[in-house]
Amino acid sequence: MTSKTDEVLGYEQARDELIEVVRRLEAGGTTLEESLALWERGEELAEVCRTWLEGARRRLDAALAEERAEAEDGDAETAG
């Protein structure tokens, strides 16, 4: 579940924070509790990134579908 703060994070912000979380986890030296908190934050950030990427994919798919429809309409007008 994402927090209210995550809703205003841009993709790049979430990605950068996720990279930092992963770096800290890989470096070690944290307590179990800190590691769990970092892991949970990483999961939240990954979801924010996924949401942004899925939205971008939907926008691209819609734009490509619109472009194909316009091209097909143009072909139909040329043939007719």
Side-chain angles (χ1 to χ4, degrees):
M1 175 155 41
T2 59
S3 69
K4 195 71 169 164
T5 305
D6 294 337
E7 292 177 17
V8 297
L9 277 180
Y11 171 78
E12 289 81 6
Q13 292 169 309
R15 181 203 59 213
D16 291 346
E17 187 178 342
L18 180 56
I19 290 168
E20 180 61 21
V21 166
V22 170
R23 186 196 64 72
R24 289 181 61 196
L25 284 168
E26 288 178 340
T30 57
T31 66
L32 177 59
E33 192 63 34
E34 291 168 333
S35 294
L36 287 172
L38 284 168
W39 179 271
E40 290 170 347
R41 182 61 180 158
E43 289 292 329
E44 292 171 355
L45 292 164
E47 181 59 31
V48 170
C49 290
R50 266 191 297 275
T51 299
W52 275 104
L53 292 172
E54 288 168 359
R57 170 55 64 191
R58 283 191 300 273
R59 289 175 59 191
L60 286 171
D61 288 345
L64 291 172
E66 184 177 325
E67 187 176 289
R68 278 192 296 272
E70 289 174 1
E72 289 172 3
D73 287 346
D75 290 344
E77 289 176 10
T78 305

